[in-house]
Amino acid sequence: MVITISPWQSYLQRSAASALSVIAVSLILPHRASAADWTFVPTLRLRESYSDNIELASPALATSDLVSEITPGINVTANSSHLKLNMSYSLQQLIYQHEPDALNHQLQGNAKAELLDDWLFVDASASISKQNVSAFGPQLIDNTQITSNQNTVDAFQISPYLTHFMRGFATAELRYTHDNVSSSNILSTKTDEVRFKLVGDNGGQGWNWDALYDSSKVDDSATAPVTMKSESFTLRDPLTGSVGLFGTIGYENEDYQASNGQAPKGQFWSLGASWNPSVRTSVVASAGKRYFGNTASFDASYRGHNTVWRVSYNEDITTSYAQFLTLSPGDTSALLNQLWLISIPDPAARQQAVNSFIGMAQLLGPNAGITNYISHEFFLQKQLNLSMASSGPRSTLVLNLARIDRTDLTSTNVDIPLLGTSQLALQDHTRQSGIDAAWSWRLSSRSNLNLDASDNRVSSLSTGRTDNNLMLSAGFSRQLRQNVSATIDVHHVRHTSNDGGNYRENGISAALNFRL
């Protein structure tokens, strides 16, 4: 069989540049890089998969296909007191029996480096992944599926910052952040932000304070540039060893064109309390008011011997491209890292176990299958998350529940290229809710059984449309040799909508995974 690769060289260069830029952060000062413990692990995945509805079409139009996959990749890690790096890149070649071949780049990387002792630091991250364009219609769960509702999203961020401790006064941090988010010809944004923060030095006793200034400029190819500025001051009072109070006042000024004609600026305030009865339990809650109305936030976590819980709620003005920089399996990863903090004390080994579980369980991410749909608008987002991870001698269970409400604050006309004029109201006000459960059972020292179930609903509160998505999957994995593993996976997908377009899809795949 001859593998034909279409003209993708320029895109590969951009992908490689994103990956190398993360590593480059680690190499700015050679003696820092050489002191780190570097690991380079080439990988290769060979997979055959079959779908009875490869295009996620209605039953009358469903077509099946057999797909061969060749995915070489590399995992790069570095760990020292001055450098933390974790990056995975792969090049996925898909060879269809009936459809044109495809090539996908997949990247997830982050780096933290200390360039000058206790003075100059830099953070960087980059990602490349397939994403659903809209929360409505066919939902991509596997890169082999072919739908019109998908696109590749590239996200890159670099953030150098200076810190300085002024004894008896404050710790100062000056940070500059630049990020780029793009998706083919439908999204191209960049943001430049300057952030200055002072945290008071009270010697660890009594009242404390912090002050913050933030200024950013957003350039979106589809809209006029937007400038956002805010200043705030916070007072904190540790009432007891475990209970504290805090209050914040400030002013914000954003110049996006609000759809209601009101200027998005004004004073804001909030009052809150924290409770930390032990190192295993933390609760923080606050309530206040901003120019768009009343606000509230809540974040509570608990770590038991074999279980970790977290529940959070927040409200903020944001954009879909800003969410692409924050939405990832990171929440699930952090939960599992906390769960296995004692049982797997080595950070590198613990992260490897976390990555292995997430990959085997086929998790849809930290937000229970909820889609961060592509849009050029600013919107008010209210998000509630409940996460739980539990680990026993031979099994691990992760449960995620999420609900996200989004209300547009700018004109929907900027999304005409994405939705067309007839569907502009579809994303005016959306509500998504979902639940995702993943369970892994260790059958033996070399074999695992993995089950995953996800059910989510997305509603357009402006048009009345509601879509439901159900996904069930089961997988078996076995370690054949030290660097060779095999997996077999089956899944069932069901999509229903009161606007039509219902479909079902069943798939099965078998893969060999090599660590070279």
Side-chain angles (χ1 to χ4, degrees), residues 131-140 146-151 371:
Q131 299 286 345
N132 292 300
V133 175
S134 172
F136 298 92
Q139 298 296 296
L140 183 77
I146 302 172
T147 77
S148 59
N149 187 33
Q150 62 174 305
N151 219 321
T371 298

Side-chain angles (χ1 to χ4, degrees), residues 236-309:
R236 305 179 186 278
D237 179 17
L239 292 179
T240 67
S242 61
V243 178
L245 300 176
F246 58 89
T248 299
I249 58 172
Y251 185 85
E252 57 189 329
N253 187 351
E254 303 172 357
D255 62 0
Y256 63 82
Q257 297 299 312
S259 56
N260 60 6
Q262 297 179 354
K265 61 181 180 180
Q267 295 180 344
F268 63 88
W269 62 267
S270 66
L271 295 174
S274 61
W275 181 49
N276 298 277
S278 70
V279 295
R280 295 174 176 266
T281 304
S282 172
V283 179
V284 180
S286 67
K289 191 167 187 177
R290 294 176 62 182
Y291 65 82
F292 55 81
N294 297 327
T295 64
S297 67
F298 181 80
D299 195 329
S301 62
Y302 169 75
R303 176 169 60 88
H305 183 67
N306 294 314
T307 306
V308 175
W309 291 86

Side-chain angles (χ1 to χ4, degrees), residues 197-200 208-212 232-236 248:
K197 186 175 184 178
L198 291 171
V199 178
N208 204 5
W209 59 273
D210 61 70
L212 176 66
S232 64
F233 182 80
T234 301
L235 275 177
R236 305 179 186 278
T248 299

